[in-house]
């Protein structure tokens, strides 16, 4: 397949949707059908990319696209498509129009929920990366304290409460990433991540991530103490 042609077609479809309410309704219905019924992976990926674009547009079109991304996208049966839907949702959550901004927390909660319900772990790593991205964007680009809090809570839960050691390790490393990226500018977030890593180490039931979490917490605390530029 020619990916450039596919992307051009996707852009044309999105322009058509924004130009005509009737076309928008028909296209969104088509996207839902593709995500729920199609076995063609490329078509489903295209539908998700177009929903990501349309969900950040103002008005009813953005709201309807957001609903569809949350419902059919995050709820799709294929774990690899759910993983991409999580990535799309994280982008949308920090770029919503002013009118749809109140829906952002619910979208972040949906990402957390998708990670918690993930049965084989395929989506969890992407969800953790997406929560990290949300915290960074909501701290440094378009300040949104509520999204920062939800994102941090999601990573803290993953680092402390996940049953699988590999999932706890993912949460630990993403907390470290958040502190490294955001903590240099926002001291309170660095302190929050250090505390969360220390708690994850102390509460680690099987010892699988205790050493890593404690080591990363210590490294962050040392860096913060010796670098006046932090915070």
């Amino acid at each position: 397949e020619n990916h450039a042609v596919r992307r051009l077609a996707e852009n044309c479809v999105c322009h058509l949707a924004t130009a005509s309410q009737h076309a928008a309704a028909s296209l969104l219905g088509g996207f839902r059908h593709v995500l729920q019924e199609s076995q063609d992976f490329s078509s489903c990926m295209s539908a998700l990319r177009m929903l990501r674009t349309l969900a950040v547009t103002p008005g009813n079109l953005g709201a309807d696209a957001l609903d569809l991304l949350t419902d059919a996208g995050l709820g799709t049966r294929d774990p690899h498509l759910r993983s991409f839907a999580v990535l799309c949702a994280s982008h949308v959550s920090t770029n919503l129009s002013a009118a749809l901004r109140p829906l952002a927390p619910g979208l972040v909660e949906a990402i957390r929920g998708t990670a918690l319900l993930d049965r084989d772990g395929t989506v969890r790593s992407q969800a953790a990366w997406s929560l990290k991205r949300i915290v960074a964007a909501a701290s440094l680009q378009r300040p949104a304290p509520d999204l920062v809090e939800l994102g941090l809570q999601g990573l803290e839960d993953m680092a402390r409460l996940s049953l699988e050691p590999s999932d706890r390790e993912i949460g630990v490393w993403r907390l470290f990433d958040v502190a490294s990226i955001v903590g240099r500018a926002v001291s309170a977030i660095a302190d929050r991540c250090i505390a969360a890593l220390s708690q994850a180490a102390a509460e680690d039931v099987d010892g699988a991530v205790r050493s890593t979490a404690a080591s990363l917490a210590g490294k962050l605390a040392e860096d913060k103490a010796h670098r006046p530029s932090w915070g």
Side-chain angles (χ1 to χ4, degrees):
E1 286 189 8
N2 188 315
H3 292 289
V5 172
R6 181 179 283 273
R7 295 296 190 279
L8 179 60
E10 290 171 3
N11 288 337
C12 290
V13 169
C14 289
H15 281 301
L16 178 61
T18 58
S20 164
Q21 280 188 325
H22 178 72
S26 297
L27 290 167
L28 291 176
F31 295 159
R32 181 179 294 277
H33 175 78
V34 166
L35 290 170
Q36 292 179 340
E37 305 295 339
S38 177
Q39 301 298 313
D40 183 70
F41 188 81
S42 295
S43 295
C44 292
M45 290 285 282
S46 285
L48 289 171
R49 279 192 294 268
M50 287 184 280
L51 286 173
R52 177 183 63 190
T53 298
L54 295 174
V56 298
T57 59
N60 292 335
L61 174 59
D64 291 343
L66 178 59
D67 284 345
L68 187 52
L69 177 61
T70 306
D71 179 25
L74 295 178
T76 188
R77 291 187 296 269
D78 187 295
H80 299 289
L81 287 175
R82 278 203 313 280
S83 184
F84 185 63
V86 163
L87 178 63
C88 292
S90 73
H91 168 82
V92 170
S93 69
T94 54
N95 289 281
L96 286 170
S97 64
L100 297 182
R101 172 60 181 79
L103 301 177
L107 189 55
V108 178
E109 288 283 15
I111 293 172
R112 291 177 62 187
T114 301
L116 291 172
L117 296 173
D118 186 32
R119 293 182 177 179
D120 61 6
T122 305
V123 180
R124 208 163 286 127
S125 178
Q126 181 62 72
W129 187 92
S130 295
L131 290 171
K132 177 196 77 172
R133 184 207 159 277
I134 288 168
V135 173
S139 299
L140 304 176
Q141 297 171 13
R142 299 178 68 179
D146 55 339
L147 302 189
V148 171
E149 179 62 27
L150 289 171
L152 286 173
Q153 286 177 5
L155 293 176
E156 289 166 352
D157 288 348
M158 196 174 292
R160 293 174 46 240
L161 305 177
S162 295
L163 296 179
E164 292 294 328
S166 59
D167 294 335
R168 294 200 301 276
E169 186 167 7
I170 288 170
V172 162
W173 277 103
R174 295 297 80 79
L175 282 169
F176 176 77
D177 290 344
V178 166
S180 300
I181 296 167
V182 181
R184 298 175 189 276
V186 186
S187 182
I189 289 181
D191 293 337
R192 171 85 172 261
C193 291
I194 292 169
L197 288 168
S198 298
Q199 188 173 10
E203 296 180 359
D204 191 33
V205 291
D206 54 16
V209 300
R210 189 174 302 142
S211 176
T212 300
S215 175
L216 293 177
K219 175 174 172 46
L220 289 170
E222 184 177 356
D223 286 351
K224 188 171 183 290
H226 290 90
R227 295 185 183 181
S229 61
W230 275 56

